[in-house]
Amino acid sequence: MSDISVSSAVLGLVEYAAGKGLLEPADKTWAANGILRVLRLDSLETSAAAAALPLERLLEILLDDAVGRGVIPNTIVNRDLLDTAVMGVVTPRPSEVSRSFAAIYKKNPKDATDWFYRLCMDCNYIREYRLKKDMKWTYPSRYGEIEITINLAKPEKDPMDIAAALRSQKTGYPACQLCRENEGYAGRTDHPARQNLRIVPVDILGEPWGLQYSPYVYYNEHCIVLNDIHTPMAIDAACFRKLFDFLDKFPHYFVGSNADLPIVGGSILSHEHFQGGRHIFPIERAEIAEELPLPCNAEVSCGILTWPMATLRLRGSDSEKVARVANIILETWRGYDDAEAGILSNTNGTPHNTVTPIARRRGALYEMDIVLRNNRTTQEHPLGLFHPHQELHHIKKENIGLIEVMGLAILPPHLKKELQILGEAMLSGGDLRTPEISRHADWAEDILSRRQVTAENVGKVLREEVGAAFVKCLEHAGVFGQGESGEAAFRRFTQVLLEHISDSVQKSHGGV
C-alpha cells in the first residue's frame, strides 16, 4: 500500500499536467473532477497536498487503488486502459494541438516536430519510463554496425488479457489501429485505448493525411504518416512521390514504406501509411558497392548497396526524376522472373514481387533506397522463402518489415528473460531443454561448441550471437542471397533494369 493518498495523487497529476503546459491554471478543478469520474470516485480531499512524484508513480498509486476497489482487474491491459483514460482528461484537445503545431511549423518544421514529440511523451501516449527498460546494443557485421533492441515498451499480454480479448465482442470500429477514429477512443481488451493520441493534419500530394508518433518508439521520434482514408497499402509511382512530398515538408526526417504484400510487408496492410523519424539507421551508413551506368541524361545515380538484402540506392537533385527511376525499378521487378535464383513474379496470377522504399534528404540531394522483396512460400519454407528460416525462429519469426530492413532488430520482450536463463544454464551445464528455453537449445549447443563461455563474457557472447542471428535473418530475406551466385543473380536483374531505364530515357527525349 502507498503512503500517498489518492487525493494527493490526483492533485499531483493535475499539477504535473499544468507544469507541462497540458492544462491552463483555470482548468485544474475541472481536470481533477474529470479524473475522479474516470476512477469512479465521488470526492476529493481538497486540503491534501499535491504529491510531487514522477508521472509513473502517480499513475501507479491511482491504478493500485482502482484495482483494490474492484474497478479493474489487475492485468497489464486493464491497467493501460485505465491510465490512458486518466491521461486523456489532461491531454489538450486535437484542435488545440493542431493549431499549436501549425503555428510552430510556420516558423520551423523541426521545432514543430520537437514540440509535438515532447507533447506525446508528456501526456503519456509515449510511456518514457517503459522505453528506458529497453535492451539495446550494436553488432559489428560485415555490412556495418547493426542495431539490436529487445523492446519492452509494448508489454506482452498476460493469459487473462488474452482470454478476455477472445471473449470480447468483435466490432469494426475503428476499422484498424491506424484509422483517425482511434483519436480519443476508449479501447477494449483487444484494442488499445487512445484518449491521449493526437494526430496533426498533413497534406500529402493534395490529399489529407495525418502525422502521429508511435507509442512504442522503436527509434528516435518514430512517427507514422497515415492516410485519412482507410485504404490499402500500395507501392506504386504515387507512393514514391508521396514519400518525397513528406520530405519536402519535414526534411529533417527520413520516411519509408513497408511493402504492400503479405510476409514481406508490415503488420497492417489494410491502411496506407508510412513510417519516419529522426534516426540514422545502419542502411543509411551502408556504402555503395558498385555504381550502375545510367544514361547521363537520366540525371539520377543508381548503385548496388553493400547490404544483406538486395538494395539499389538512387540519388538526384530532382525528386520527380528520382521517383520516376524508382518506378522503373518497381515495374521491372514486378514482372521479373529468375528460376535459377528462385524468383517467380507470380503464381497463377498472385503477385510475389514488390519493394520496400526508404527516402531521405542528403543536403540538396534526394536519396531513395529500393529494397527488392519477394513473398513466395515453398513446402520447405511455408512462412516464406525469403523470410527468416526455421532455424532462426527462436530469435526472429515475425516479418522482416521496414524497420528491420533498415538494420534495426525489434525482438520480443520474452527474449530478455530467456537469454538470462539460457546464459545461466550454459554456465552451469544445466538442462538446455527445459520448457522456458528449449527453443534455444540447439543454438546454445552450437555456441558452446565454438566459443568459450565464462561468467565474465556470457552476456557479451549471447548479445553477439543474437546479432549474428539477426544478420542471417536479413540475409534470408534477401532475394538474391550472398556469395558469387547471389551477385550473378543481382547482375542479371540489373542488366534488364538498365535496358528498361535506357528505353525510358530515350522515349522521354532527353530526360527520365
Side-chain angles (χ1 to χ4, degrees):
M1 293 291 292
S2 171
D3 56 357
I4 305 295
S5 72
V6 170
S7 292
S8 291
V10 170
L11 294 171
L13 180 55
V14 170
E15 290 301 324
Y16 162 87
K20 294 294 185 181
L22 303 177
L23 291 175
E24 296 290 337
D27 297 328
K28 288 183 180 180
T29 300
W30 168 85
N33 285 328
I35 294 170
L36 293 180
R37 181 184 69 251
V38 170
L39 296 172
R40 301 183 197 173
L41 294 169
D42 55 15
S43 64
L44 183 72
E45 296 175 21
T46 55
S47 61
L53 295 172
L55 177 60
E56 177 186 15
R57 181 68 184 122
L58 293 171
L59 291 173
E60 183 182 30
I61 292 168
L62 299 179
L63 294 175
D64 287 347
D65 174 74
V67 169
R69 291 184 291 111
V71 175
I72 58 168
N74 192 23
T75 69
I76 293 171
V77 166
N78 281 284
R79 291 176 74 97
D80 281 2
L81 288 171
L82 186 60
D83 75 3
T84 303
V86 169
M87 292 306 299
V89 174
V90 299
T91 301
R93 290 190 175 190
S95 57
E96 297 175 38
V97 173
S98 294
R99 278 196 299 271
S100 295
F101 181 87
I104 301 170
Y105 180 89
K106 283 182 180 179
K107 298 177 181 178
N108 188 302
K110 178 181 173 296
D111 289 347
T113 55
D114 285 349
W115 172 84
F116 187 33
Y117 188 60
R118 184 68 251 172
L119 173 81
C120 293
M121 289 189 283
D122 289 343
C123 70
N124 208 42
Y125 180 68
I126 296 171
R127 300 169 188 263
E128 278 190 278
Y129 47 87
R130 285 185 182 168
L131 299 181
K132 294 174 183 176
K133 299 175 184 178
D134 290 351
M135 289 181 65
K136 299 181 180 181
W137 68 94
T138 60
Y139 172 71
S141 77
R142 68 189 185 96
Y143 308 103
E145 292 281 327
I146 301 297
E147 299 176 1
I148 312 294
T149 65
I150 297 179
N151 189 276
L152 303 172
K154 185 178 183 179
E156 295 179 291
K157 295 181 180 180
D158 63 32
M160 287 179 62
D161 290 325
I162 294 170
L166 290 173
R167 291 194 303 269
S168 66
Q169 184 175 356
K170 303 304 175 186
T171 172
Y173 183 89
C176 77
Q177 291 190 27
L178 295 178
C179 285
R180 267 198 173 271
E181 288 77 13
N182 283 279
E183 196 172 32
Y185 187 61
R188 313 180 297 270
T189 53
D190 63 343
H191 192 103
R194 290 291 183 252
Q195 290 99 324
N196 55 354
L197 164 65
R198 293 298 177 262
I199 305 171
V200 295
V202 177
D203 178 281
I204 301 293
L205 293 185
E207 298 177 351
W209 284 53
L211 172 68
Q212 68 172 71
Y213 287 100
S214 166
Y216 310 120
V217 191
Y218 294 140
Y219 51 85
N220 185 46
E221 296 185 41
H222 179 183
C223 70
I224 303 172
V225 192
L226 43 97
N227 196 323
D228 271 12
I229 300 171
H230 182 74
T231 188
M233 296 284 289
I235 302 296
D236 53 20
C239 171
F240 305 130
R241 295 178 61 235
K242 290 172 184 175
L243 293 174
F244 285 134
D245 191 35
F246 178 83
L247 286 184
D248 285 338
K249 294 175 172 64
F250 301 95
H252 56 294
Y253 275 2
F254 86 91
V255 66
S257 175
N258 266 305
D260 55 355
L261 294 179
I263 297 174
V264 296
S267 58
I268 301 178
L269 294 176
S270 60
H271 195 124
E272 185 179 23
H273 69 284
F274 307 138
Q275 294 182 77
R278 187 157 40 168
H279 183 73
I280 297 176
F281 283 87
I283 196 171
E284 185 174 346
R285 294 191 292 265
E287 297 181 354
I288 291 176
E290 178 186 344
E291 290 281 358
L292 299 182
L294 266 61
C296 60
N297 53 353
E299 299 181 47
V300 175
S301 69
C302 179
I304 296 174
L305 211 60
T306 302
W307 196 243
M309 301 175 69
T311 306
L312 294 169
R313 174 166 290 171
L314 303 177
R315 282 179 181 161
S317 59
D318 186 328
S319 64
E320 285 291 327
K321 291 180 178 178
V322 177
R324 287 172 190 168
V325 174
N327 193 52
I328 295 170
I329 296 172
L330 173 65
E331 291 182 345
T332 302
W333 178 244
R334 288 279 196 198
Y336 186 76
D337 293 283
D338 185 342
E340 184 179 342
I343 304 296
L344 297 180
S345 61
N346 71 89
T347 301
N348 298 323
T350 300
H352 296 311
N353 288 353
T354 185
V355 303
T356 299
I358 305 136
R360 63 187 75 88
R361 293 290 297 269
R362 284 195 192 263
L365 295 178
Y366 292 89
E367 184 172 277
M368 179 171 281
D369 293 337
I370 303 289
V371 187
L372 307 180
R373 311 298 303 274
N374 178 287
N375 77 343
R376 275 190 67 206
T377 59
T378 64
Q379 209 166 24
E380 183 182 0
H381 300 291
L383 296 184
L385 177 59
F386 304 106
H387 177 87
H389 294 173
Q390 176 70 36
E391 67 271 19
L392 298 172
H393 288 177
H394 66 105
I395 297 296
K396 179 72 176 175
K397 186 177 181 179
E398 301 79 15
N399 293 354
I400 299 297
L402 171 66
I403 298 172
E404 288 86 3
V405 164
M406 294 187 290
L408 171 58
I410 308 296
L411 303 178
H414 62 75
L415 197 59
K416 178 181 180 180
K417 182 179 179 182
E418 290 172 4
L419 290 177
Q420 181 181 351
I421 297 171
L422 186 69
E424 292 169 357
M426 291 169 71
L427 286 174
S428 67
D431 186 1
L432 296 174
R433 299 190 181 274
T434 59
E436 283 184 299
I437 57 173
S438 59
R439 72 173 98 187
H440 304 295
D442 291 345
W443 179 61
E445 289 171 353
D446 175 63
I447 294 171
L448 288 169
S449 73
R450 293 184 287 105
R451 304 187 64 168
Q452 184 176 1
V453 179
T454 67
E456 289 72 30
N457 74 0
V458 62
K460 181 175 183 289
V461 167
L462 286 176
R463 288 192 295 273
E464 289 173 351
E465 293 293 336
V466 168
F470 177 65
V471 171
K472 287 182 180 177
C473 288
L474 295 181
E475 290 176 341
H476 287 180
V479 295
F480 296 128
Q482 303 301 311
E484 292 183 5
S485 61
E487 291 179 9
F490 206 162
R491 289 182 190 283
R492 290 196 294 273
F493 171 71
T494 57
Q495 184 175 0
V496 174
L497 173 64
L498 289 172
E499 292 173 359
H500 287 188
I501 292 174
S502 179
D503 288 346
S504 178
V505 170
Q506 290 178 9
K507 288 177 182 176
S508 64
H509 304 291
V512 176

